[in-house]
Amino acid sequence: MLNIIGTISANPNPSDRAFIMEIYQQFYRLMFSTVRKYCMDSDVCEEVVQESLLKLIKKAKTLRSMQQSVLASYIVSTTRNTAIDYLKSRDKRNAHNSSLEDEAFSDLEAPNIPLDELMYLVERKERLAKVFDLLSAGDRQLLEGKYFFDYSDSDLARMLGCKKSSIRMKLTRARRRVLKLVEKEGDDIK
């Protein structure tokens, strides 16, 4: 907090200093919780909030003319974008600092997925985990065999006591049931 107060105090316009200090005091929790969605490290969150405030200081004149609800949205947007930019630049720095050992294991790393897409995938995974227990034993066994254990259609047919040619249709139906449950779970969450 001392760094922020020092930064705000360095602003030559006294009315801007007071205005930005008000914004900081009023929206600090909102800004911090916005950054927290992208990073769990409190020190990094503080740093991103400070960087966001530095950007907002430059826009003090524009911010004064905004209504309260628009101002809050603008602050959240600025904070979110700053967090994403910070994480991207940190990832680039880390990539440049990788050692030969890291390069030897690079084929084991997860693919480079944009942060918003990764968050969407994590949410979908959590929803899928919730509904997986609601499936019938046969559907669970079929889907686990196919997607977790990578069994062939012949192996699945032997396990389930059916024809190999019927496995594709059983998988299609099981996936549809999962999708319906996930969609229903999503509606329940909203």
Side-chain angles (χ1 to χ4, degrees):
M1 184 167 166
L2 291 175
N3 291 342
I4 292 298
I5 293 173
T7 304
I8 293 171
S9 298
N11 192 330
N13 186 340
S15 64
D16 283 351
R17 280 195 300 251
F19 178 70
I20 295 297
M21 193 59 163
E22 270 181 45
I23 286 179
Y24 175 71
Q25 291 169 344
Q26 184 177 1
F27 293 103
Y28 171 77
R29 284 184 168 171
L30 179 63
M31 293 172 75
F32 191 87
S33 66
T34 300
V35 177
R36 196 67 165 192
K37 293 176 185 175
Y38 297 94
C39 179
M40 297 307 291
D41 184 355
S42 295
D43 293 334
V44 171
C45 290
E46 284 290 335
E47 190 171 337
V48 171
V49 168
Q50 288 181 20
E51 283 186 38
S52 301
L53 270 169
L54 288 173
K55 290 179 180 180
L56 293 171
I57 287 171
K58 295 175 185 174
K59 302 283 187 182
K61 184 178 179 182
T62 306
L63 297 175
R64 285 178 189 275
S65 64
M66 293 181 180
Q67 295 175 357
Q68 191 70 9
S69 60
V70 176
L71 178 63
S73 296
Y74 187 87
I75 290 171
V76 167
S77 179
T78 300
T79 305
R80 181 184 64 241
N81 292 338
T82 305
I84 291 170
D85 291 346
Y86 179 88
L87 293 173
K88 283 181 182 178
S89 69
R90 184 184 68 182
D91 290 345
K92 283 182 184 178
R93 281 192 309 267
N94 290 344
H96 290 295
N97 295 333
S98 66
S99 68
L100 290 175
E101 281 182 31
D102 293 339
E103 290 175 18
F105 294 107
S106 65
D107 59 333
L108 300 176
E109 293 179 8
N112 189 11
I113 299 173
L115 187 59
D116 55 339
E117 189 175 329
L118 183 61
M119 291 177 64
Y120 172 76
L121 292 173
V122 168
E123 179 184 322
R124 294 281 296 199
K125 179 183 168 193
E126 290 171 356
R127 289 168 72 187
L128 182 61
K130 286 181 184 178
V131 300
F132 203 72
D133 292 334
L134 302 175
L135 293 173
S136 69
D139 282 351
R140 264 197 319 269
Q141 185 178 17
L142 181 65
L143 293 170
E144 285 175 345
K146 183 66 175 179
Y147 298 109
F148 296 135
F149 301 117
D150 203 24
Y151 290 152
S152 67
D153 290 353
S154 302
D155 293 335
L156 291 170
R158 265 194 308 275
M159 278 177 27
L160 298 173
C162 63
K163 295 180 183 177
K164 178 183 171 186
S165 59
S166 66
I167 290 297
R168 291 273 179 219
M169 184 51 73
K170 287 182 178 288
L171 277 168
T172 299
R173 289 178 180 155
R175 285 189 299 254
R176 284 181 187 156
R177 285 189 283 273
V178 168
L179 184 59
K180 282 183 182 178
L181 287 171
V182 166
E183 288 172 353
K184 183 178 181 249
E185 182 71 24
D187 291 340
D188 292 344
I189 291 173
K190 294 175 186 173

